[in-house]
Every structure is written in structure tokens, then in C-alpha cells.
Amino acid sequence: QKEVEQNSGPLSVPEGAIASLNCTYSDRVSQSFFWYRQYSGKSPELIMSIYSNGDKEDGRFTAQLNKASQYVSLLIRDSQPSDSATYLCAVRSGAGSYQLTFGKGTKLSVIP
Amino acid sequence: EAGVTQSPTHLIKTRGQQATLRCSPISGHTSVYWYQQALGLGLQFLLWYDEGEERNRGNFPPRFSGRQFPNYSSELNVNALELEDSALYLCASSLETGIPYNEQFFGPGTRLTVL
């Protein structure tokens, strides 16, 4: 059973701070890792993807991947109230299956 | 460029009825995935279609089925509806399989309510 684990939160950070979201996965052959943002009542929106160990930066977002530890994280710098949402970690196995396995999400609240 | 579209936005059915949900992928995308997001649960993979074929299905009963049309649009059928089928049904599309790191983009979803 492939599992993706996230802290459900809520994670509260003050405006302007760094928000750190974490995710662990159980399937060692996983190849691709994604972070989605989901506002209440809306569908998930892709914000970052990462495939290689290390850091990947895109604007205020940085994804970090450590395959040896089976760990992926998302940092949000200069957090804004508009970042308040549920962040979903998703993992795709490399074993010929292209569907995503999702964590249950971490709810982030950015306090003005 | 238009994103993934889904219809209807909302669907209300009663127990035992059948529901049909539709999805149009992003232009150029050939793979379509269906996910269920029930209240309090994470997104659960339902079905994956690519080039008109069902490639994989999640841990759901056979009354969940679907198909993909030659234009790559897809429909999800849920027969013999049960109360616990009430959920947000999300469709995602991606470029053709074989690209190692293809990203999936979601449509707005269909909210199915079973009374």
C-alpha cells in the first residue's frame, strides 16, 4: 500500500514569515513529486513539481526532495494571507503507473 | 489556452440512480485521470485513461466505470448510487504517457450529492 503522509495542521504562520510544509512517502520507487494548493471548495492547483534530489525554486516557493529519506517539503517565503489554503503533496510511482497518490493535505493559515 | 473542463458543476441524485460526469482535457493532452475527494478524505484515484484505453483503476467497485472518446474527452459513470458516493469528482489531464515527469492539471470538479 503506497502511502503519502502529511501533518494535517492547521499550520499558522504570521504574514511575511516562512511556511514549511512536509511530506513523507512509503514507495521507494517513486519518481515524481508534486505540490498542489487547494482553496476551500475549489479544485487543486499545481504549484510545484520536483524530480531530482535537492532544491527547486519558483518565485516564493521552494520544493526540497530527499529520496534517501523519502521526504519532500515545500517552503513558502514571505507568506501572504492569500496563501491560506490546504497544500496537497502528491507522488507518482515510476513503476509504469501514472496516477498520483495524494496525502490528506496540510491546512495553512497565514495571519495578517 | 483553455484548461480542463468538467460538467455538470453540481449533480443531485437519489440512491440507486446512475450518474454521468464529463471531462474535456487540455488541448494536446491525451491522458485523463479521475479522482474522488470525499469529505474528510484525501483525493483517491479512480480511473486512468490514455489513448482511449483504460490503463489502471483504483480500489473502487465495478459500478464506477468510464470511457475515453476519440477526441480524448472522458466520462465517468457511477451506477447504483450509494450515499457514500457523495463527493467532489475531479478530472485531471496530462500529456501522453511515456513522458517521465508529466504533470497533471485538474478541472473544477463535479460535486455529486446522493440523497
Side-chain angles (χ1 to χ4, degrees), chain A residues 31-32 34 36 38 41-46 48-49 51 56 67 88 92 96-104, chain B residues 33 35 37 40-43 45 48 56 88 90 97-109 111:
Chain A
Q31 287 190 346
S32 310
F34 307 89
Y36 287 84
Q38 187 173 26
K42 302 294 185 181
S43 65
E45 173 192 9
L46 179 66
M48 288 286 289
S49 58
Y51 318 116
K56 179 182 178 183
K67 290 187 178 180
L88 303 172
R92 186 178 71 76
S97 60
Y98 285 78
Q99 70 267 15
L100 298 177
T101 300
F102 283 84
K104 292 189 176 181
Chain B
Y33 309 80
Y35 295 88
Q37 189 174 34
L41 300 177
L43 274 83
F45 166 68
W48 165 32
N56 204 1
L88 179 66
L90 293 159
T97 55
I99 296 176
Y101 307 120
N102 56 348
E103 297 171 331
Q104 294 183 22
F105 298 90
F106 282 87
R111 175 74 61 184

Side-chain angles (χ1 to χ4, degrees), chain A residues 2-108:
Chain A
K2 301 171 186 175
E3 294 184 344
V4 178
E5 300 287 341
Q6 295 182 254
N7 289 326
S8 60
L11 174 65
S12 295
V13 299
E15 183 175 356
I18 296 175
S20 178
L21 304 163
N22 304 314
C23 172
T24 58
Y25 58 94
S26 63
D27 187 358
R28 288 190 169 274
V29 302
S30 297
Q31 287 190 346
S32 310
F33 307 86
F34 307 89
W35 284 99
Y36 287 84
R37 176 175 62 196
Q38 187 173 26
Y39 293 111
S40 181
K42 302 294 185 181
S43 65
E45 173 192 9
L46 179 66
I47 52 174
M48 288 286 289
S49 58
I50 188 166
Y51 318 116
S52 303
N53 280 328
D55 294 358
K56 179 182 178 183
E57 186 175 320
D58 184 1
R60 295 187 296 112
F61 299 96
T62 299
Q64 300 174 317
L65 174 62
N66 184 326
K67 290 187 178 180
S69 301
Q70 296 175 235
Y71 175 91
V72 59
S73 66
L74 179 70
L75 300 177
I76 306 174
R77 291 182 300 281
D78 188 24
S79 294
Q80 301 297 308
S82 59
D83 294 327
S84 297
T86 296
Y87 289 79
L88 303 172
C89 173
V91 175
R92 186 178 71 76
S93 168
S97 60
Y98 285 78
Q99 70 267 15
L100 298 177
T101 300
F102 283 84
K104 292 189 176 181
T106 297
K107 187 171 184 178
L108 173 65

